[in-house]
Amino acid sequence: NKELEQKLKFLSKQDMLTGLYNRHYFMEELEETISNAVSDTLCSAVVYIEPDNIKELKEQVGINGTDLILSDIAKIITEQTGESIISSRFGDYSFTTLAQGSDVVAVQDIAENIRHTIENHISEVDGQSITYTVSIGISVVCEAARDSHEILTKADLACEMMHKAGGNRVHLHNPVTDLQANRDRDEYWHHMIVDSLENNNFMLFYQPIAALQGDTNER
């Protein structure tokens, strides 16, 4: 029935843990925003959010505790962005928001409010009071934007730079100053991949199996 169809459609867009939109829906919205960027008067922006020191955080509170922290971060993002901004759980430990047709300064203010609120928030995990911070990168979507991958890479790079700078910071991607940082990151990963190939350090985690004929489902 229609009610069930609507419920299934809603669930297909949602991340079950946080209640935010999922990565697939976010990418669809970002692609549409990029395609409309030429006619938009105001630019849009992608905000990329990741907890600092996530490895140490997982070791401290475990998987279930980490899930509680991610849920708390999602609630803060929702409170600070409102319904007009699309927010998603983009990866296991990352979040993205898409502010469409917004002033960049206003987006930076929102990102700073998210950072500040999380810094001052305390999560209760199995009787422990846990505090943590996030790093936030921002990338602008305008006429010059070529594709979603480019936009997300810039926002991710801006976030990563803040991790390396000590965390708990917000950074708007700058194509001039961030260029060298991007080269350094590419050089690092090139070295890692070559070393892993030479020393057999790759491990298979996921292998999709798809039918060449007929069945369109993926195993």
Side-chain angles (χ1 to χ4, degrees):
N1 57 44
K2 289 185 178 181
E3 184 179 350
L4 181 58
E5 286 179 4
Q6 289 178 345
K7 187 174 183 180
L8 289 172
K9 187 176 181 180
F10 172 76
L11 290 174
S12 70
K13 302 176 182 179
Q14 191 179 40
D15 173 65
M16 293 296 100
L17 175 66
T18 63
L20 299 177
Y21 289 115
N22 58 29
R23 178 179 182 144
H24 178 73
Y25 180 76
F26 181 86
M27 292 301 296
E28 287 182 343
E29 291 296 311
L30 178 56
E31 292 285 359
E32 185 176 348
T33 299
I34 292 172
S35 66
N36 295 330
V38 176
S39 59
D40 287 345
T41 305
L42 292 172
C43 285
S44 301
V46 168
V47 180
Y48 195 95
I49 306 163
E50 271 188 348
D52 296 313
N53 305 314
I54 187 63
K55 183 178 179 181
E56 290 82 356
L57 202 58
K58 285 195 295 179
E59 291 174 351
Q60 181 181 1
V61 300
I63 294 175
N64 291 336
T66 304
D67 285 348
L68 288 172
I69 289 172
L70 292 174
S71 295
D72 281 357
I73 293 175
K75 290 175 184 175
I76 291 171
I77 292 173
T78 301
E79 291 168 358
Q80 296 297 323
T81 57
E83 296 182 359
S84 61
I85 294 179
I86 297 169
S87 300
S88 78
R89 184 187 181 195
F90 193 75
D92 288 343
Y93 309 109
S94 61
F95 302 88
T96 50
T97 70
L98 176 61
Q100 298 170 316
S102 300
D103 178 76
V104 176
V105 175
V107 174
Q108 287 180 284
D109 289 341
I110 292 171
E112 181 60 34
N113 287 338
I114 292 172
R115 183 208 63 77
H116 177 74
T117 305
I118 291 174
E119 179 188 20
N120 290 282
H121 179 76
I122 299 175
S123 292
E124 297 295 332
V125 181
D126 294 331
Q128 299 182 73
S129 296
I130 307 297
T131 58
Y132 42 88
T133 60
V134 296
S135 290
I136 302 177
I138 304 171
S139 178
V140 175
V141 183
C142 53
E143 290 183 36
R146 289 181 291 180
D147 56 47
S148 57
H149 175 74
E150 178 186 18
I151 296 298
L152 286 164
T153 298
K154 290 177 179 178
D156 178 33
L157 175 61
C159 179
E160 185 176 326
M161 289 178 65
M162 296 303 95
H163 281 310
K164 291 181 178 178
N168 198 24
R169 291 170 168 83
V170 175
H171 178 57
L172 174 65
H173 173 75
N174 185 311
V176 177
T177 59
D178 294 358
L179 180 61
Q180 185 58 46
N182 193 32
R183 287 173 177 166
D184 291 343
R185 182 171 70 164
D186 288 347
E187 185 177 337
Y188 167 78
W189 280 108
H190 174 76
H191 171 76
M192 286 286 289
I193 291 169
V194 170
D195 182 72
S196 295
L197 285 169
E198 291 176 349
N199 295 289
N200 196 29
N201 289 332
F202 277 104
M203 182 182 294
L204 181 65
F205 277 94
Y206 175 71
Q207 175 64 59
I209 303 172
L212 295 179
Q213 296 179 349
D215 189 4
T216 58
N217 293 322
E218 186 178 275
R219 303 287 192 270

